[in-house]
Amino acid sequence: SQKIEQNSEALNIQEGKTATLTCNYTNYSPAYLQWYRQDPGRGPVFLLLIRENEKEKRKERLKVTFDTTLKQSLFHITASQPADSATYLCALESGGSYIPTFGRGTSLIVHP
Amino acid sequence: DGGITQSPKYLFRKEGQNVTLSCEQNLNHDAMYWYRQDPGQGLRLIYYSQIVNDFQKGDIAEGYSVSREKKESFPLTVTSAQKNPTAFYLCASREQGAHYNEQFFGPGTRLTVL
């Protein structure tokens, strides 16, 4: 069955460092991969989308990579700030589907 | 402001009662979705609708029902048949046929069964 894995343990880093979050998947051939941010008690907010034929996407301090051979996406936040503390969800979608499948998310805690 | 709203923010239900969660969007999106989120879990799809008067079951539709009579509205009813309804419910919308577009989420409704 299709499976999306995000590290269930919280990632603790110091302010100013680069945070790297991982999204691995199995039994899936996604055409699109998205990253969302979710704050406690709120709905997710879209951050970035990357397509299967793209290796890397950037937006301000954010960078996403997508390796379809490794079946993995990495999400980087450079110069992290305490305000970046949240849960980050990855979502995969096949080309023939309009339904994204979400991972469980990884909690990021940036310490001042 | 364009956006997607959910009400109420908090909802308490007695066992055996049906409750309806509201979801409204003014983004002119064709597609709408309902997800359930449990602590430490990802979003699980309950129902989705790609067009007015049409909707499909998601992965965990049992004990839930929806309607899509208007483009901007997609209410979710949690019936008494849902045995464990306590959860955080999220509604989302999206342009139809747009993989390259994101889902817009509402603020969520937290349902608690007393």
Side-chain angles (χ1 to χ4, degrees):
Chain A
S1 61
Q2 297 174 343
K3 194 173 181 181
I4 301 172
E5 292 183 354
Q6 292 187 258
N7 196 339
S8 59
E9 291 186 11
L11 177 63
N12 286 272
I13 65 168
Q14 211 60 35
E15 183 176 8
K17 300 293 186 183
T18 296
T20 299
L21 306 175
T22 305
C23 177
N24 295 307
Y25 59 92
T26 55
N27 298 325
Y28 210 124
S29 297
Y32 309 88
L33 191 148
Q34 302 183 35
W35 283 89
Y36 289 79
R37 169 184 173 140
Q38 186 175 25
D39 291 286
R42 293 176 173 259
V45 174
F46 172 79
L47 297 173
L48 281 169
L49 177 146
I50 188 166
R51 306 180 191 197
E52 62 178 334
N53 60 353
E54 297 176 317
K55 297 297 183 185
E56 182 178 298
K57 208 74 168 288
R58 291 175 184 263
K59 179 182 177 183
E60 298 173 349
R61 294 185 295 112
L62 309 180
K63 184 179 84 171
V64 173
T65 63
F66 193 9
D67 189 326
T68 55
T69 300
L70 291 178
K71 296 186 182 297
Q72 180 182 79
S73 174
L74 299 178
F75 177 77
H76 306 273
I77 305 176
T78 58
S80 60
Q81 306 165 0
D84 295 326
S85 299
T87 296
Y88 292 85
L89 306 168
C90 72
L92 281 66
E93 190 169 343
S94 301
S97 165
Y98 294 100
I99 309 299
T101 302
F102 284 83
R104 295 184 174 192
T106 297
S107 174
L108 171 66
I109 302 170
V110 181
H111 299 276
Chain B
D1 283 338
I4 182 166
T5 58
Q6 291 183 243
S7 62
K9 186 172 178 64
Y10 299 97
L11 185 58
F12 299 90
R13 187 194 96 169
K14 293 181 181 179
E15 288 194 17
Q17 282 183 336
N18 292 355
V19 291
T20 297
L21 283 59
S22 169
C23 178
E24 303 279 332
Q25 54 98 1
N26 62 2
L27 300 167
N28 201 34
H29 289 167
D30 285 307
M32 296 188 75
Y33 308 76
W34 273 107
Y35 294 93
R36 168 181 172 143
Q37 188 175 35
D38 293 282
Q41 302 293 316
L43 278 62
R44 291 187 289 168
L45 183 67
I46 305 173
Y47 269 97
Y48 66 100
S49 168
Q50 295 179 315
I51 197 168
V52 174
N53 292 322
D54 187 44
F55 47 82
Q56 287 78 41
K57 293 181 180 180
D59 300 320
I60 56 165
E62 185 175 350
Y64 300 98
S65 66
V66 293
S67 63
R68 187 82 189 279
E69 297 176 0
K70 298 185 295 183
K71 187 175 184 177
E72 58 271 22
S73 180
F74 191 40
L76 172 74
T77 296
V78 184
T79 75
S80 56
Q82 170 50 238
K83 296 307 178 188
N84 185 22
T86 295
F88 189 49
Y89 291 86
L90 288 160
C91 180
S93 71
R94 184 190 206 180
E95 287 187 30
Q96 174 65 323
H99 292 287
Y100 49 86
N101 282 346
E102 71 269 29
Q103 286 184 310
F104 289 80
F105 284 86
T109 292
R110 187 166 300 280
L111 173 64
T112 303
V113 173
L114 302 173

